[in-house]
Amino acid sequence: MALRPIDNALPTTTPERPKKQVKVSLTVQKQPDFSVNDENRAPFPPSADANIDYISSENLKAIPDPESEIQSLIEGLNSKDWTKVCESLNNARRFAMHHSSLLEPVLEKVMVVVVKAMKNPRSALCKTSIMASSDIFNAFGDKLLDSNSDAFDNLLLQLLMKASQDKKFVCEEADRALNAMVEYMTCLPLLHKLKAYVKHANLRVRAKAAISISKCVSKMGLEGMKEFGLVSLVQMAADLLKDRLPEAREAARSTVISSYNAFTENEEQKQEAWQSFCQSSLPPIDAQSVVKIITSL
């Protein structure tokens, strides 16, 4: 008879409902992570960024009344409302692609805003500014190098920094902008700008600069390389061959091959001529490394 009260008490000691409540509360806690903005994961509400359209360059349309719109462009770029800045950056892209003569007088001010926007943690603002830089390279090319201001230097540094980030969407867009820079600008003056970054403290910046340098060199002939300084070019490549990142070393190998092809174009004894040049221009260990790249092809 004493067992009956114990059996009757069992149902009151084994409910599992509290565990189900804990499981529901954990699901609620995970919701913010699920809804964080896709690329950037910045500490901003994601809904606003999600409403920003990333317009490809080929889909940028001309502005119906550009003469009147140019007056309000700088005001929009300097707005404290980041969505307004994004809209104005896209307008600046339209001006660059379709009305570049109207944008040129205020181009430096636009580039200052582009650089500032690249530093912003908002994914929409950062990506739109990088896309704007590509269109600016396309529209103005070497004109960007004619100015005495630091606008282009600041832009180049930011693009190299963004291309060096861990965030994939930032890297990919910045890489496209750097490719546009090499495509639309003359290689020789661009090389002079890029060479300052192969000794940058950030090894990823060094690698990205090395990649852009190798692409520049691949487009140059021997006369252009000599004007830059063929010895300096090969010395720079030799230094990058010892870099920690494989991307930098691979870019250096590409630079060496392009230099070799240009240097030996009219030589009958190609490898012998190249070996003699390297031995007279580089320390023995570096010369051996550079020559080995060609002999191993």
Side-chain angles (χ1 to χ4, degrees):
M1 296 298 293
L3 294 175
R4 191 178 301 275
I6 295 175
D7 291 341
N8 291 338
L10 285 176
T12 64
T13 61
T14 60
E16 295 298 326
R17 294 183 182 276
K19 291 184 179 180
K20 291 183 180 180
Q21 292 176 355
V22 172
K23 188 173 182 179
V24 170
S25 65
L26 288 174
T27 302
V28 172
Q29 290 174 357
K30 289 182 180 180
Q31 286 178 352
D33 287 339
F34 177 77
S35 63
V36 166
N37 188 38
D38 52 354
E39 310 105 343
N40 197 15
R41 299 198 177 275
F44 295 101
S47 56
D49 279 16
N51 293 330
I52 298 298
D53 291 329
Y54 300 126
I55 308 170
S56 61
S57 297
E58 56 268 22
N59 291 330
L60 289 170
K61 297 185 187 226
I63 297 173
D65 186 9
E67 287 80 4
S68 62
E69 289 292 330
I70 194 67
Q71 303 299 327
S72 59
L73 178 64
I74 298 301
E75 180 181 346
L77 289 171
N78 290 325
S79 173
K80 294 183 178 179
D81 181 351
W82 72 269
T83 59
K84 180 67 175 174
V85 176
C86 267
E87 179 184 342
S88 298
L89 282 170
N90 278 327
N91 283 336
R93 297 175 62 205
R94 292 185 177 95
F95 273 107
M97 298 300 293
H98 299 288
H99 321 282
S100 59
S101 61
L102 291 174
L103 185 64
E104 188 171 354
V106 295
L107 184 57
E108 281 192 21
K109 293 180 180 178
V110 172
M111 290 174 68
V112 168
V113 175
V114 168
V115 171
K116 182 179 178 181
M118 279 189 202
K119 299 177 183 179
N120 194 287
R122 281 196 182 275
S123 62
L125 202 51
C126 180
K127 183 169 182 175
T128 304
S129 66
I130 296 174
M131 295 174 78
S133 69
S134 295
D135 296 323
I136 288 173
F137 292 141
N138 185 350
F140 295 100
D142 290 345
K143 290 181 180 179
L144 300 173
L145 300 172
D146 295 339
S147 172
N148 293 324
S149 74
D150 296 329
F152 175 77
D153 293 332
N154 294 334
L155 179 60
L156 174 58
L157 175 58
Q158 279 306 307
L159 284 175
L160 291 171
M161 294 289 287
K162 293 303 175 184
S164 305
Q165 286 194 0
D166 292 328
K167 298 171 185 175
K168 184 178 179 181
F169 96 104
V170 174
C171 291
E172 291 177 345
E173 200 61 56
D175 281 338
R176 281 191 284 269
L178 289 170
N179 288 338
M181 176 186 70
V182 173
E183 180 179 358
Y184 295 113
M185 300 181 76
T186 303
C187 291
L188 181 58
L190 191 54
L191 267 181
H192 285 291
K193 294 287 187 181
L194 286 165
K195 71 178 182 180
Y197 297 102
V198 294
K199 295 185 180 295
H200 196 276
N202 186 322
L203 71 168
R204 291 187 179 182
V205 169
R206 292 201 304 268
K208 293 297 181 178
I211 291 170
S212 293
I213 286 172
S214 71
K215 291 179 179 178
C216 281
V217 174
S218 69
K219 296 172 60 179
M220 297 172 69
L222 181 59
E223 290 306 313
M225 294 180 190
K226 286 182 176 179
E227 191 173 350
F228 175 79
L230 186 57
V231 173
S232 298
L233 187 61
V234 175
Q235 287 175 341
M236 183 166 55
D239 288 339
L240 286 168
L241 286 172
K242 298 177 282 188
D243 200 89
R244 289 168 54 191
L245 281 186
E247 294 93 334
R249 298 195 299 271
E250 183 57 36
R253 282 191 284 271
S254 176
T255 299
V256 168
I257 293 170
S258 295
S259 302
Y260 166 81
N261 289 335
F263 181 80
T264 62
E265 183 177 5
N266 298 317
E267 296 285 345
E268 292 184 2
Q269 303 295 324
K270 296 182 181 298
Q271 291 196 10
E272 290 80 356
W274 179 249
Q275 182 173 350
S276 176
F277 168 73
C278 291
Q279 289 174 345
S280 64
S281 306
L282 300 168
I285 294 179
D286 289 346
Q288 183 179 2
S289 299
V290 171
V291 171
K292 185 177 179 181
I293 293 173
I294 302 305
T295 56
S296 64
L297 290 178

